[in-house]
Amino acid sequence: MLAEPGFAADVERWRMYLSQLFDLWPEAQPPEDLIDRIDASLGGVAPARRGRPFPWPLLAIVSTALAACLLLVVALRPGGPPPGGAPMGPPPITASAPILVAALGDAKAPVAAAFDPTDGSIRVTAAPDAPATRVAQLWVIGGDGVPYPLGLLARDATLLVVPAADRARIAAGATLAISIEPEGGSPTGKPTGPVVATGALAAV
């Protein structure tokens, strides 16, 4: 998906098509022995008794959020697809640090973020709604548990360039958070308003 923008767009389009099926039927729990019966029908060894059935609709929602993060990387990183969906070949393979992605907030409507260590840029798809006199501000929280400001978010997609001195804080496992602050951002350097979305960074 990272190497083929057209294929990545196809995957996301089919995810959206299939996700609509969840609205057509009420949720139902499958029989507890369903997976064992499937394994047996395929000639496999029956596994030990499992716990509660996995919530497959939740898995689909989370995977869609991850796909949105990956599409953000493909569409916005240097060498991504040109405007208007014009065809292009696979980008050249170069040695670079892995991209870090996160899905912030509600799994049904996540805010996707992607950090590129090669140039220190962080891209966010959109900001949560904020009152007219407030703004959304992005933070990173590392192992020390202290939030550090990264910048203010526009209502649409935002591109921020993180100062070189702060880039080491943005690593796999760190948490991105969005808070609602007064115009101009937090006056204290720490979140003062409600934190409305969080998500952990992972390397891709």
Side-chain angles (χ1 to χ4, degrees):
M1 291 176 67
L2 290 176
E4 296 288 348
F7 173 71
D10 288 341
V11 169
E12 180 61 14
R13 183 169 63 254
W14 278 103
R15 287 186 191 277
M16 294 299 295
Y17 291 159
L18 298 175
S19 68
Q20 299 176 40
L21 297 177
F22 293 123
D23 297 330
L24 301 180
W25 288 277
E27 183 176 354
Q29 292 294 342
E32 292 186 359
D33 63 342
L34 177 61
I35 300 299
D36 293 347
R37 285 159 44 196
I38 292 174
D39 289 340
S41 71
L42 297 175
V45 178
R49 178 64 57 192
R50 295 172 172 83
R52 295 180 57 190
F54 192 85
W56 295 109
L58 176 61
L59 176 62
I61 292 171
V62 172
S63 63
T64 299
L66 179 59
C69 291
L70 295 176
L71 282 175
L72 178 68
V73 174
V74 171
L76 297 180
R77 72 183 301 181
M88 62 171 292
I93 298 175
T94 58
S96 62
I99 299 292
L100 301 177
V101 299
L104 286 66
D106 189 346
K108 294 183 179 180
V111 175
F115 174 68
D116 188 346
T118 57
D119 60 5
S121 63
I122 186 166
R123 297 166 172 86
V124 182
T125 53
D129 291 335
T133 59
R134 299 280 176 170
V135 295
Q137 187 164 1
L138 184 66
W139 308 80
V140 62
I141 305 169
D144 58 2
V146 177
Y148 295 91
L150 296 177
L152 304 181
L153 300 178
R155 291 188 179 273
D156 298 323
T158 302
L159 170 64
L160 301 171
V161 178
V162 181
D166 295 331
R167 294 176 188 176
R169 297 189 176 99
I170 306 177
T175 297
L176 293 181
I178 300 175
S179 67
I180 304 300
E181 302 293 339
E183 288 184 339
S186 169
T188 66
K190 296 293 184 289
T192 61
V195 174
V196 296
T198 62
L201 285 163
V204 296

